[in-house]
Amino acid sequence: MGRGKIEIKRIENSSNRQVTYSKRRNGIMKKAKEITVLCDAKVSLIIFASSGKMHEYCSPSTKLIDILDQYQKTSGKKLWDAKHENLSNEIDRIKKENDSMQIELRHLKGEDITSLPYKELMALEDALENGLTCVRTKQMDVLDMAKKNTKFLEEDNKQLNFIVNQQQLTYENVREHMDHHGYHRAARADFNSQMPFAFRVQPMQPNLQERM
């Protein structure tokens, strides 16, 4: 006896629903891979579970964005609005500019220049010479600035040394002056300490008063 027909409706039991989802997801992923290999088809598959988890598959020979662009052109349906289209065009332009700048940078470094024509080689040489001139000019500016800064520092150092020397001379003069006056005060104090507090003058002739 064959299997009975399964009614397609939402499975109420959450455990059974999760098991069925895993089996059916794996099955459809397998079918997508098989049709890609067997029929050389471009397949893109995106599945979102009820929990929000995403599962995807895209044929190795293509990208999801390419398939979406092809779908938009073939079906005539607008997947992107004008704002997103302008943004996509701007991204493409920036990518092209970046690729061009990377190529130019390699040429400036002397890489991948064997296939360049004579005119482009001459333009490359001019660009390198101009760049070298700018670098040398900047080097001279930096050296001149360094010399000026060194000169300013030397002048500041001389001025500081002069100020320090003047302060040192002033200090020595003040100290010498204080030492000199201190010596005289000490000598005067020593002399005064040796003198009597009072003395009496004696007449040279003791009997002079008696005669008068």
Side-chain angles (χ1 to χ4, degrees):
M1 295 178 62
R3 292 186 303 174
K5 187 176 180 180
I6 301 176
E7 184 181 2
I8 303 300
K9 66 177 183 178
R10 184 177 184 273
I11 301 174
E12 298 298 333
N13 186 281
S14 59
S15 298
N16 295 339
R17 186 168 61 245
Q18 182 62 33
V19 172
T20 303
Y21 171 77
S22 298
K23 290 181 178 180
R24 296 294 180 104
R25 183 198 67 213
N26 292 335
I28 195 172
M29 287 285 186
K30 182 179 179 182
K31 294 296 182 180
K33 294 177 182 179
E34 289 177 353
I35 195 174
T36 298
V37 176
L38 295 174
C39 305
D40 195 22
K42 296 179 180 179
V43 180
S44 179
L45 176 64
I46 302 175
I47 304 175
F48 287 96
S50 58
S51 61
K53 186 176 181 180
M54 184 184 74
H55 301 273
E56 62 178 331
Y57 170 78
C58 187
S59 301
S61 60
T62 187
K63 297 179 181 178
L64 176 60
I65 188 66
D66 295 334
I67 290 181
L68 293 176
D69 287 339
Q70 186 174 357
Y71 172 81
Q72 181 175 243
K73 294 176 183 178
T74 304
S75 64
K77 296 180 180 180
K78 291 289 186 180
L79 298 178
W80 329 112
D81 55 18
K83 181 179 179 180
H84 288 90
E85 287 184 356
N86 294 334
L87 180 60
S88 178
N89 293 333
E90 184 66 15
I91 292 175
D92 293 337
R93 184 185 65 80
I94 294 175
K95 287 181 178 180
K96 291 179 180 179
E97 288 184 359
N98 182 62
D99 294 339
S100 179
M101 292 177 65
Q102 291 293 332
I103 294 174
E104 185 176 354
L105 179 60
R106 288 198 298 270
H107 291 168
L108 290 173
K109 294 167 63 176
E111 301 175 357
D112 302 334
I113 60 175
T114 55
S115 60
L116 293 180
Y118 179 78
K119 290 184 178 181
E120 292 188 12
L121 290 174
M122 291 298 296
L124 182 61
E125 183 180 6
D126 292 339
L128 290 172
E129 289 181 353
N130 292 334
L132 184 59
T133 301
C134 293
V135 170
R136 287 175 177 172
T137 301
K138 186 61 178 180
Q139 284 180 336
M140 294 303 298
D141 293 341
V142 172
L143 290 176
D144 291 340
M145 184 60 67
K147 290 180 180 178
K148 291 180 180 179
N149 291 336
T150 302
K151 186 177 180 180
F152 290 151
L153 290 174
E154 290 177 352
E155 292 178 355
D156 291 342
N157 189 36
K158 289 179 180 179
Q159 187 175 2
L160 288 174
N161 288 332
F162 175 78
I163 294 174
V164 171
N165 291 333
Q166 291 295 320
Q167 291 179 349
Q168 184 68 25
L169 290 174
T170 303
Y171 172 75
E172 291 178 356
N173 291 333
V174 171
R175 182 176 180 183
E176 183 179 356
H177 181 73
M178 293 178 63
D179 292 343
H180 178 72
H181 284 276
Y183 170 76
H184 284 286
R185 285 197 299 271
R188 189 180 299 119
D190 184 63
F191 174 76
N192 292 334
S193 65
Q194 295 178 6
M195 291 181 63
F197 290 98
F199 60 92
R200 182 176 171 183
V201 179
Q202 298 293 334
M204 296 182 65
Q205 295 181 0
N207 299 327
L208 182 60
Q209 295 179 353
E210 295 178 359
R211 293 178 182 180
M212 294 178 63

